[in-house]
Amino acid sequence: MAALAAVLLALAGTQSPAQAAESEWVSFDGGQARVLSAVYSVFIGGATYEVARGTDNNIWFRYNGGSWGPLGGYSSSRTTSPPRIVEFPPGRAMAVVRGLDGEIWYSQVNSGSANFWTAWTRLPTGARAIGSPLLTVSSATGDLMIEAPNANRLISYTFLRNYNGNLSSSGWTVDSHAVLGTNHVDIEGDSQIAVYGTEYYRSVYRSFFTGSDHHVWRQTVDPATGRTLSLAQVNGGAECTTGVGASRLGNQSTVVGPGQPGYASQQRVLISCIGNDGYVWVSTSSDGGLTFDGWRHPTGRLAPSASTPAVFSTPTSNSSWTLNVRWNAALSAAFADNSIVAKRIN
């Protein structure tokens, strides 16, 4: 079975069209940090906020490419899952983690400061999370949808709403459609994006995750209700040993439809995972994540990792993604073990 899976992944990698322009793999932060996750970031008002899970299981934070420091103090932010970060409410960065109690917690930058975060606040109990939350802001309602894999390997979700700076949760609902799979106790790094769904003629959420068969699956969700609209395997046949990183290009704060400026860019989606060979694989879409052009290794040297890659739209460009990974030096000594390594893909 392992041999067959490797053949499937290798075949999927040969089906892609001409490869897009890419940079070489380089150190993401000059070799500063050692991490147990990729780096997740958000770009707000010209500033970049970045978070990662350190080797001490604390959440570490960096502002505008400066030095790393512990977010919330050494004793208050421990987690066994990668952290996530999002702009919510507008103008504020919010870090969200799975706590050691299996519930979802968040902290916000206080009054826009780069250095002061609010105390960690727990969402209503009931998430029973065993992995990282997924975060997406609806451009239609302005609500933050939070999904988390629960103890039954299903997805629990809640909507976090903002009323003049006061946040309230809708409570947790279990989605029975998607069954997740992983080789690890902790499910980490699955991704969700807001995009215009060409099959529904409206804005939708698309979640990409590793299913119980270790193939990549796409779940399309109504952003107003959380109702599942469709569930299908992503074409290409790849098998993953981690979760899935995903990002679309274009303006990240709103979703536009056909004929509107930026529509073509927003329809471009990149997904990435670690294949059963231990290296990074990617696939791209030009129709909002409905169909993909085949799995492949990024150009240049193979990039090994045991954690889910992180993918982001490059803040200064509507035509490229930034892909970063936690390096596995056991498979390649090109970079230090657990260092952060990145490349740009156009």
Side-chain angles (χ1 to χ4, degrees), residues 19-321:
Q19 293 175 345
E22 299 182 19
S23 68
E24 294 295 326
W25 289 102
V26 297
S27 173
F28 182 79
D29 63 349
Q32 293 182 60
R34 297 294 178 266
V35 294
L36 295 180
S37 75
V39 173
Y40 295 87
S41 68
V42 65
F43 188 71
I44 304 173
T48 301
Y49 300 80
E50 296 166 331
V51 292
R53 175 189 169 202
T55 54
D56 59 358
N57 290 320
N58 280 295
I59 306 306
W60 286 73
F61 161 71
R62 191 170 76 145
Y63 175 75
N64 263 356
S67 59
W68 291 94
L71 189 157
Y74 285 98
S75 63
S76 60
S77 60
R78 292 186 183 276
T79 182
T80 57
S81 305
R84 293 306 175 92
I85 192 166
V86 68
E87 180 180 2
F88 187 80
R92 299 190 72 181
M94 173 187 283
V96 185
V97 301
R98 171 214 177 211
L100 296 180
D101 59 357
E103 301 299 339
I104 303 301
W105 296 71
Y106 69 87
S107 175
Q108 297 172 285
V109 168
N110 190 18
S111 301
S113 167
N115 302 310
F116 296 97
W117 290 76
T118 63
W120 287 96
T121 300
R122 187 177 66 182
L123 291 179
T125 59
R128 301 175 63 214
I130 58 172
S132 297
L134 285 69
L135 312 174
T136 306
V137 178
S138 169
S139 60
T141 65
D143 297 337
L144 175 65
M145 186 178 185
I146 303 175
E147 293 185 321
N150 65 36
N152 295 320
R153 300 199 184 279
L154 298 172
I155 293 174
S156 297
Y157 66 89
T158 186
F159 289 98
L160 195 60
R161 298 186 169 95
N162 170 44
Y163 297 99
N164 298 319
N166 297 314
L167 304 183
S168 63
S169 168
S170 64
W172 293 97
T173 301
V174 176
D175 179 355
S176 60
H177 293 84
V179 180
L180 305 177
T182 178
N183 289 333
H184 307 283
V185 174
D186 176 56
I187 297 176
E188 57 148 339
D190 300 320
S191 292
Q192 185 185 74
I193 60 173
V195 69
Y196 186 88
T198 54
E199 76 275 38
Y200 297 107
Y201 304 105
R202 60 189 174 101
S203 174
V204 297
Y205 290 149
R206 293 209 201 278
S207 299
F208 296 93
F209 56 86
T210 304
S212 57
D213 56 2
H214 297 285
H215 292 296
V216 178
W217 288 76
R218 177 194 70 246
Q219 183 180 25
T220 303
V221 171
D222 183 332
T225 65
R227 182 174 64 90
T228 295
L229 301 174
S230 66
L231 181 67
Q233 187 180 132
V234 170
N235 61 290
E239 295 198 8
C240 300
T241 59
T242 66
V244 185
S247 175
R248 65 164 172 81
L249 296 181
N251 186 312
Q252 298 296 302
S253 63
T254 187
V255 173
V256 298
Q260 295 179 283
Y263 172 74
S265 291
Q266 287 196 357
Q267 289 292 288
R268 295 189 61 206
V269 178
L270 176 73
I271 58 176
S272 179
C273 75
I274 304 303
N276 50 33
D277 59 356
Y279 296 100
V280 175
W281 289 77
V282 296
S283 189
T284 55
S285 169
S286 296
D287 58 8
L290 187 61
T291 60
F292 286 83
D293 59 12
W295 290 88
R296 64 176 178 84
H297 288 302
T299 59
R301 64 165 52 95
L302 295 177
S305 183
S307 300
T308 303
V311 186
F312 303 99
S313 175
T314 306
T316 56
S317 171
N318 282 330
S319 61
S320 69
W321 295 274

